[in-house]
């Protein structure tokens, strides 16, 4: 039993740690980046707005797995600059997830902004608030509230998408489960992996439910 | 000199002329009721005064300073200073739903540092008491009735110490039984000599509280007079027709 624990569960928990770490890094960077993209897409500076729209279109319009392959294996093969683009696998994976998820979060925030009544901007204007004060004190908190359910959904997807790292040989949860399946010729590790994913998504769901209650404004 | 002078104001949305040569003066302590059918340009006129709409011609002068002079707007910094002399109350309240009543009142003065925090919180208490909502200070707008929301909106505008208060159909979004509490607050303000311009469908308010009534139709001021003369002896045919339809 102790043996089994040591050879199977421990490596899988080690893999789960990798998954959680990647999730935290990706979400902490891609949410603010997504918000900046939303602002850029709405900007009156045309090239900035075109860049943001194109970026969102490309990132949402191509498979995440393809993007991960390009970052991990494609970039180092580029002529001349390729040799400077060899990233360690984990960094490359983080980069891939951040760039991809920022595009999805940008769309979520855009929806949140659309939900805010024009009267909110007008009220802020007649009270003399600056554009910056209006954005940070009036618009962003309301946008965040509207975006929460979609953010929650997207975060759960992110947890599960980390399994794509299996394809670029980052030693995450699924990698260790598959190794154990091959070695011991049993499917139990799959179920253990499923259970670990479920625990992670449960924690995430509980966290977001709490946030939704906290930001109910009633 | 009048507190507000508006002359030859013009505004179009594309082909549609919504304001044609609007001219009027507002004296200090005036309570002006602006009435007229929907689409007559009343709201657009009011919104132009506080720069929520840009006009295409004419002048607006507030307390001696031009917001716009012969279709040329003041510099952005000056526009801010001039519009800060006015407060606005909207038809749909436009309270900030993520802030409590107290924070709705405090947010602008505290961000703009117009007064010390102590003075701000003291005045919050006073003004909430005046609109009869001291017990709602920590409620969110979602938990208030329409009449309460509009009274908070008036309180929020008062926090900025405006010289002129603009009301854009303040009771039109309310259930009939809730209009009274809002009109009462506005009547109290009139008695304290607040200068007010009120776009309204409340003929009773126009008649009893206002000292001037302005009738607009088709983007023009058709008739302006004191309420007594306006309601008992209207001069223009369009005014007569409107009053016949709107007063039982």
């Amino acid at each position: 039993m102790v043996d089994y624990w040591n050879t199977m569960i421990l490596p899988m928990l080690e893999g789960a740690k990798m998954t959680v770490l990647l999730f935290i890094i990706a979400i902490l960077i891609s949410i603010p980046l997504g918000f900046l993209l939303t602002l850029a897409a709405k900007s009156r500076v045309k090239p900035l707005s075109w860049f943001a729209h194109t970026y969102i279109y490309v990132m949402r319009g191509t498979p995440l797995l393809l993007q991960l392959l390009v970052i991990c294996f494609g970039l180092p093969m580029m002529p001349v600059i390729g040799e400077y683009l060899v990233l360690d696998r984990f960094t490359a994976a983080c980069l891939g997830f951040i760039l991809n998820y920022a595009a999805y979060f940008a769309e979520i925030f855009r929806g949140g902004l659309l939900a805010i009544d024009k009267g909110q901007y007008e009220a802020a204007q007649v009270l003399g608030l600056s554009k910056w004060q209006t954005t940070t004190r009036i618009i962003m908190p309301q946008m965040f509230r509207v975006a929460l359910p979609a953010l929650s959904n997207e975060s759960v997807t992110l947890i599960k998408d980390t399994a794509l790292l299996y394809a670029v040989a980052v030693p995450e949860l699924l990698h260790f489960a598959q190794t154990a399946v091959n070695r011991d010729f049993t499917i139990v590790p799959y179920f253990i992996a499923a259970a670990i994913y479920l625990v992670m998504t449960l924690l995430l769901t509980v966290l977001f439910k709490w946030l939704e209650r906290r930001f109910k404004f009633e | 000199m009048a507190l507000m002078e508006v002359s030859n104001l013009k505004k179009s949305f594309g082909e549609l002329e919504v304001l044609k040569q609007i001219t009027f003066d507002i004296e200090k302590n005036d309570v002006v009721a602006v009435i007229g059918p929907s689409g007559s340009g009343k709201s657009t006129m009011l919104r132009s005064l506080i720069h929520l709409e840009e006009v295409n011609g004419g002048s607006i002068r507030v307390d001696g300073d031009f917001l716009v002079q012969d279709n040329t707007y003041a510099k952005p910094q000056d526009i801010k200073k001039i519009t800060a002399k006015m407060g606005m109350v909207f038809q749909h309240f436009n309270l900030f739903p993520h802030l409590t009543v107290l924070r709705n009142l405090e947010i602008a003065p505290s961000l703009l540092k117009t007064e010390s925090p102590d003075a701000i919180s003291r005045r919050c208490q006073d003004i909430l008491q005046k609109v009869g909502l001291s017990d709602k200070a920590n409620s969110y707008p979602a938990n208030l009735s329409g009449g309460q929301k509009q009274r908070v909106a008036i309180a929020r505008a008062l926090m900025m110490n405006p010289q002129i208060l603009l009301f854009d159909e303040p009771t039109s979004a309310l259930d009939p039984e809730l209009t009274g509490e809002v009109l009462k607050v506005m009547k109290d303000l009139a008695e304290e000599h607040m200068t007010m311009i009120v776009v309204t469908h409340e003929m009773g308010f126009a008649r009893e509280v206002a000292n001037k009534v302005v009738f607009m139709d088709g983007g023009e001021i058709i008739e302006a007079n004191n309420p007594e003369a306006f309601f008992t002896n209207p001069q223009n045919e369009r005014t007569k027709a409107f009053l016949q339809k709107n007063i039982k």
Side-chain angles (χ1 to χ4, degrees):
Chain A
M1 190 62 207
V2 175
D3 257 11
Y4 195 69
W5 177 262
N6 281 337
T7 55
M8 197 152 94
I9 310 266
L10 271 188
M12 284 178 73
L13 286 177
E14 198 62 31
K17 212 171 85 188
M18 186 72 97
T19 298
V20 170
L21 191 63
L22 180 108
F23 171 80
I24 290 172
I25 292 174
I27 207 135
L28 285 184
I29 302 180
S30 60
I31 285 184
L33 192 62
F35 183 64
L36 290 180
L37 270 174
T38 307
L39 293 183
K42 276 172 54 79
S43 167
R44 259 177 282 175
V45 183
K46 280 290 162 218
L48 196 60
S49 149
W50 285 332
F51 168 79
H53 277 117
T54 312
Y55 179 86
I56 292 169
Y57 173 64
V58 170
M59 284 299 172
R60 295 202 318 147
T62 57
L64 174 56
L65 183 54
L66 172 61
Q67 294 164 17
L68 288 173
L69 291 173
V70 166
I71 291 173
C72 292
F73 305 123
L75 291 185
M77 287 165 66
M78 297 232 293
V80 189
I81 54 168
E83 58 181 304
Y84 303 105
L85 295 174
V86 186
L87 305 169
D88 90 78
R89 235 2 102 66
F90 183 74
T91 311
C94 285
L95 188 65
F97 277 97
I98 289 167
L99 294 180
N100 178 272
Y101 269 79
Y104 282 93
F105 287 130
E107 277 300 281
I108 289 175
F109 287 134
R110 198 174 64 88
L113 281 185
L114 285 177
I116 294 171
D117 187 72
K118 188 170 72 110
Q120 294 290 307
Y121 295 91
E122 292 186 347
Q125 184 189 326
V126 299
L127 287 169
L129 302 193
S130 67
K131 283 231 168 72
W132 172 253
Q133 288 166 338
T134 304
T135 305
T136 56
R137 304 302 187 101
I138 306 300
I139 303 307
M140 276 174 64
Q142 295 185 56
M143 176 198 73
F144 187 64
R145 169 70 191 89
V146 176
L148 261 181
L151 282 180
S152 163
N153 200 25
E154 208 55 40
S155 305
V156 169
T157 309
L158 174 56
I159 285 265
K160 293 180 296 171
D161 273 356
T162 56
L164 288 171
L165 291 178
Y166 177 75
V168 290
V170 173
E172 46 67 71
L173 177 52
L174 192 60
H175 167 87
F176 286 107
Q178 184 63 42
T179 310
V181 168
N182 292 341
R183 187 189 55 213
D184 304 341
F185 206 64
T186 160
I187 59 164
V188 172
Y190 283 155
F191 289 100
I192 296 173
I196 295 176
Y197 280 117
L198 282 172
V199 168
M200 291 191 287
T201 49
L202 179 68
L203 289 177
L204 205 56
T205 310
V206 170
L207 170 71
F208 271 97
K209 281 275 178 285
W210 177 79
L211 278 175
E212 278 178 41
R213 269 200 311 278
R214 175 89 179 48
F215 285 89
K216 206 167 173 201
F217 309 134
E218 276 179 20
Chain B
M1 187 175 61
L3 182 53
M4 179 184 266
E5 296 167 19
V6 174
S7 55
N8 302 316
L9 217 56
K10 276 192 289 191
K11 165 90 185 162
S12 315
F13 290 117
E15 289 287 284
L16 183 72
E17 264 194 297
V18 274
L19 299 179
K20 311 168 188 162
Q21 306 288 343
I22 298 280
T23 299
F24 62 88
D25 284 355
I26 306 281
E27 303 292 338
K28 200 167 177 326
N29 305 340
D30 266 354
V31 177
V32 180
V34 182
I35 61 174
S38 329
S40 58
K42 318 183 287 292
S43 284
T44 306
M45 185 275 290
L46 194 75
R47 291 164 57 81
S48 303
L49 301 182
I50 197 162
H51 198 237
L52 287 174
E53 305 280 353
E54 292 222 341
V55 294
N56 309 121
S59 308
I60 299 170
R61 190 178 196 186
V62 183
D63 195 22
D65 299 317
F66 281 103
L67 173 66
V68 52
Q69 181 171 21
D70 294 326
N71 202 22
T72 308
Y73 271 92
K75 290 196 288 283
Q77 273 316 308
D78 294 334
I79 289 180
K80 259 203 144 160
K81 254 182 246 155
I82 294 163
T83 53
K85 293 175 183 176
M86 295 174 274
M88 174 115 176
V89 175
F90 299 89
Q91 181 179 356
H92 295 289
F93 331 125
N94 298 351
L95 293 179
F96 303 130
H98 61 299
L99 302 177
T100 62
V101 167
L102 196 63
R103 286 297 297 153
N104 262 280
L105 264 60
E106 287 173 342
I107 187 160
S110 62
L111 285 178
L112 302 175
K113 301 193 171 63
T114 48
E115 288 173 282
S116 72
D118 277 355
I120 292 171
S121 78
R122 255 199 318 277
R123 243 157 37 78
C124 272
Q125 304 304 332
D126 290 351
I127 290 178
L128 277 179
Q129 190 163 24
K130 187 171 175 167
V131 299
L133 289 170
S134 297
D135 56 329
K136 297 289 182 189
N138 296 312
S139 302
Y140 282 97
N143 298 336
L144 301 180
S145 72
Q148 291 171 332
K149 283 183 200 170
Q150 195 59 298
R151 285 187 281 152
V152 173
I154 294 172
R156 183 176 67 176
L158 288 174
M159 285 298 290
M160 303 309 289
N161 283 320
Q163 295 184 35
I164 308 174
L165 208 41
L166 313 178
F167 292 82
D168 189 6
E169 306 202 21
T171 56
S172 298
L174 299 177
D175 292 336
E177 74 266 26
L178 298 178
T179 58
E181 59 191 75
V182 173
L183 293 173
K184 164 81 170 55
V185 168
M186 293 167 64
K187 196 172 169 186
D188 290 348
L189 286 175
E191 278 163 11
E192 293 165 24
H193 306 297
M194 171 62 80
T195 309
M196 302 196 275
I197 308 177
V198 186
V199 170
T200 186
H201 294 290
E202 293 285 339
M203 296 302 153
F205 178 85
R207 192 163 194 159
E208 287 153 32
V209 182
N211 68 330
K212 272 185 203 167
V213 181
V214 170
F215 174 66
M216 282 181 71
D217 193 10
E220 294 170 289
I221 293 179
I222 305 297
E223 193 165 342
N225 214 331
N226 66 65
E228 178 64 20
F230 182 89
F231 285 105
T232 53
N233 189 20
Q235 302 298 309
N236 189 286
E237 285 309 313
R238 279 199 268 180
T239 317
K240 284 179 196 166
F242 177 80
L243 287 178
Q244 237 161 33
K245 247 198 293 183
N246 287 278
I247 297 177
K248 296 123 230 162

